[in-house]
Amino acid sequence: MSTTDLTGTTFPEGFLWGGALAANQYEGAYDVDGKGLSIQDVMPKGIVAPPTEEPTPDNLKLEGIDFYHRYAEDIALFAEMGFKVFRFSIGWSRIFPKGDETEPNEAGLAFYDRVIDECEKHGIEPLVTLSHYETPLHLAKTYDGWVDRRLIGFYENFARTCFERYGKRVKYWLTFNEINSVLHAPLMSGGIWTPLQQLSKQDLYQAIHHELVASASVTRIAHEINPDLKVGCMVIAMPIYPLTPNPADVLKVMQADHDNLAFSDVHVRGTYPGYFLRKLRELGVELDITDEDRNTLKNTVDFVSFSYYVSICETSDPTKQTKGEGNIIGGVPNPHLEASEWGWQIDPVGLRIILNQFWDRWQKPLFIVENGLGAKDELVEVDGVKTVIDDYRIQYLNDHLVQVREAIADGVELWGYTWWGPIDVVSASTAQLSKRYGFIYVDRNDDGTGTLERHKKKSFDFYQQVIATNGASLR
Ligand code: BGP
């Protein structure tokens, strides 16, 4: 592999450096100020365990890190790191506690006013995800989530409420977090209460269609309310490599890529690609698509955003089709890569590859809205100050950003980079706090004990320096 020496090269002027979080993983206060339950409140073990019906004192999900009450302190720390952008989600059930009401909950709306006030105070641009794995529980249980067409209307109402309330102060919006994950995690991603094993392909793909129509519809609504708003889709990005050069392996890669890319293809092109229609035919799925749906889908996005954690391999050899750990979509492990403590394989070059792939495919501005390393941290005292010497996280960040710089040199148009979990939060897949991503340590343990005090890790200074030099300090 040849790598141009770009040491000292800076990122484009105005590059949006920052961090990303999701309401259900850090806000806490799950039942405060009129908030209704979301599906997350009944998923106490994260994605890996079936839900319980209601949270009980014995089976309550580990609450976030009380951002709900400490937002000013936390945003001040982000500002100290130099954040230009802060990605967060709006808890749908804070605004519409059940999801199908017509009138919003004012106390919920007021909370995000306060969060945006703090961002403005520090000159930080908000980047808001409308739906980040937190469908109101009532919509999941009563309607089977996105399987039901009526969800489109409820979501439009929620989105319109947010655009009208915050649209003068929030320019960047994402419709659904990692929308392509619904194929693998229908409850978490699509609020679908029917367990995956019992869910028919017909219902799964109909739910996908409803989400895609809803996403396009609120893109139109956003632009009607304020033509300056920038609306993006958000997908799991994952380079897939053939395990061998066998054409059968390469074909497997193409088909797996299609599964992932169909979602952003529709968002960018405004119509279903032929390979997707073929897949539906082969599955025997006949989608209910109205003429109005087809028109709505033509409201395409302004940019494509994505999370990037892992790459995987594909093989046509049935004896090698093991499934390694990874971000929701696991795959055949790559013998050339090391993995994190949670088995997620680390591949900085894959980030350059995916940036090029996406840019070549759509020629739309890109935004990396998640990337990060979940690791076990040890709190130590240095000169009387509590900290974490997280050189492994610094290495990960540096190596990925070097590849981002390479991709920019390749000609990719990239608006920004938000590290996942700039402060330790509850993991989406395992509901642990000990899977830490943060530059800021939070004193909270998996059993809920801890003072919730915040401590800067070594990586805090590193990222601060990267931002201050607009990337020139990368090694
Ligand atoms: C993505 C989710 C995030 C986040 C991240 C890390 O899939 O969008 O919500 O949690 O993965 O995953 P985890 O928390 O499982 O380590």
Side-chain angles (χ1 to χ4, degrees):
M1 183 195 64
S2 77
T3 301
T4 329
D5 182 12
L6 297 170
T7 312
T9 311
T10 53
F11 282 62
E13 209 183 312
F15 189 77
L16 291 167
W17 299 98
L21 293 168
N24 69 88
Q25 292 172 258
Y26 78 125
E27 283 181 358
Y30 80 98
D31 59 352
V32 171
D33 288 341
K35 177 181 169 298
L37 293 177
S38 90
I39 52 167
Q40 288 292 339
D41 300 317
V42 300
M43 296 171 71
K45 298 232 158 32
I47 190 178
V48 291
T52 51
E53 285 283 312
E54 301 290 337
T56 68
D58 298 333
N59 206 2
L60 187 61
K61 180 156 189 173
L62 178 61
E63 277 212 86
I65 53 160
D66 199 30
F67 178 87
Y68 195 78
H69 299 107
R70 295 168 190 248
Y71 60 93
E73 179 195 342
D74 291 343
I75 293 171
L77 284 167
F78 300 158
E80 195 183 325
M81 263 188 285
F83 278 23
K84 313 285 181 227
V85 62
F86 172 36
R87 174 185 174 220
F88 59 91
S89 70
I90 293 184
W92 188 348
S93 64
R94 277 202 196 284
I95 311 300
F96 290 95
K98 291 168 74 183
D100 56 2
E101 303 92 337
T102 46
E103 292 308 313
N105 169 33
E106 174 55 33
L109 286 168
F111 168 64
Y112 296 103
D113 281 336
R114 298 196 291 277
V115 171
I116 296 166
D117 287 346
E118 282 314 300
C119 289
E120 276 179 357
K121 193 165 113 190
H122 295 288
I124 297 175
E125 188 94 48
L127 163 60
V128 170
T129 318
L130 285 166
S131 177
H132 192 130
Y133 295 159
E134 45 214 359
T135 309
L137 181 62
H138 172 74
L139 297 185
K141 286 172 70 173
T142 312
Y143 298 86
D144 212 11
W146 283 95
V147 171
D148 194 309
R149 184 174 275 277
R150 284 173 292 180
L151 266 276
I152 299 174
F154 303 145
Y155 178 76
E156 285 169 341
N157 193 27
F158 165 54
R160 183 186 295 281
T161 303
C162 293
F163 297 146
E164 281 174 352
R165 180 78 169 221
Y166 312 119
K168 288 203 172 61
R169 309 207 286 157
V170 176
K171 179 173 171 191
Y172 297 99
W173 296 84
L174 306 179
T175 53
F176 290 96
N177 183 61
E178 298 187 334
I179 188 169
N180 50 349
S181 64
V182 69
L183 282 172
H184 312 270
L187 173 62
M188 187 162 85
S189 185
I192 300 173
W193 198 248
T194 304
L196 178 59
Q197 303 72 19
Q198 290 156 36
L199 182 64
S200 68
K201 292 287 183 230
Q202 178 67 41
D203 282 353
L204 176 58
Y205 279 88
Q206 193 63 47
I208 289 170
H209 174 67
H210 293 152
E211 282 199 64
L212 290 169
V213 170
S215 184
S217 172
V218 305
T219 302
R220 177 181 51 76
I221 294 171
H223 290 149
E224 276 169 12
I225 291 176
N226 179 354
D228 293 335
L229 298 188
K230 300 289 179 204
V231 185
C233 57
M234 196 303 202
V235 292
I236 294 180
M238 202 173 54
I240 308 178
Y241 309 128
L243 197 59
T244 74
N246 181 343
D249 283 8
V250 179
L251 185 65
K252 287 279 278 191
V253 167
M254 187 190 86
Q255 287 162 336
D257 264 340
H258 279 166
D259 280 347
N260 286 337
L261 296 174
F263 295 78
S264 14
D265 274 352
V266 175
H267 275 98
V268 175
R269 298 172 179 161
T271 181
Y272 283 111
Y275 66 80
F276 184 81
L277 299 174
R278 174 185 179 151
K279 173 137 196 165
L280 296 183
R281 281 196 303 276
E282 287 176 356
L283 289 170
V285 169
E286 275 187 45
L287 287 187
D288 168 30
I289 308 181
T290 65
D291 288 343
E292 196 186 334
D293 290 349
R294 280 184 230 282
N295 273 331
T296 302
L297 286 177
K298 289 181 190 148
N299 294 283
T300 54
V301 285
D302 301 305
F303 65 102
V304 173
S305 79
F306 62 88
S307 63
Y308 175 74
Y309 295 93
V310 295
S311 60
I312 56 165
C313 295
E314 274 290 347
T315 173
S316 54
D317 179 347
T319 64
K320 301 219 170 99
Q321 278 166 357
T322 50
K323 206 155 189 162
E325 295 297 323
N327 182 26
I328 302 172
I329 310 169
V332 179
N334 187 327
H336 300 282
L337 298 176
E338 305 275 310
S340 78
E341 290 161 293
W342 273 262
W344 295 24
Q345 288 199 306
I346 299 170
D347 179 12
V349 174
L351 182 51
R352 177 180 178 184
I353 293 170
I354 209 82
L355 281 162
N356 273 277
Q357 185 191 357
F358 281 13
W359 175 249
D360 292 347
R361 193 174 181 97
W362 300 305
Q363 302 276 300
K364 279 269 175 196
L366 302 176
F367 208 133
I368 303 167
V369 295
E370 282 187 34
N371 174 232
L373 176 70
K376 288 187 188 125
D377 285 341
E378 194 195 341
L379 196 62
V380 295
E381 232 175 87
V382 178
D383 301 331
V385 178
K386 287 188 182 151
T387 185
V388 176
I389 311 297
D390 54 345
D391 291 317
Y392 37 90
R393 190 170 287 108
I394 290 172
Q395 191 72 50
Y396 180 104
L397 175 60
N398 182 80
D399 294 352
H400 282 76
L401 287 177
V402 164
Q403 295 302 322
V404 172
R405 188 172 61 189
E406 293 286 344
I408 291 170
D410 292 331
V412 171
E413 184 181 344
L414 181 68
W415 282 355
Y417 173 92
T418 57
W419 173 266
W420 171 256
I423 184 166
D424 295 340
V425 296
V426 178
S427 152
S429 57
T430 67
Q432 296 169 300
L433 229 147
S434 53
K435 189 179 186 190
R436 297 174 182 274
Y437 286 82
F439 306 128
I440 301 161
Y441 183 93
V442 178
D443 180 12
R444 176 154 220 168
N445 305 308
D446 289 346
D447 62 5
T449 57
T451 61
L452 287 171
E453 274 172 16
R454 277 70 166 145
H455 304 286
K456 295 175 202 167
K457 304 180 193 175
K458 190 176 172 186
S459 52
F460 184 102
D461 297 337
F462 178 84
Y463 196 38
Q464 186 183 52
Q465 190 63 15
V466 169
I467 298 176
T469 62
N470 202 24
S473 65
L474 291 167
R475 306 191 281 240

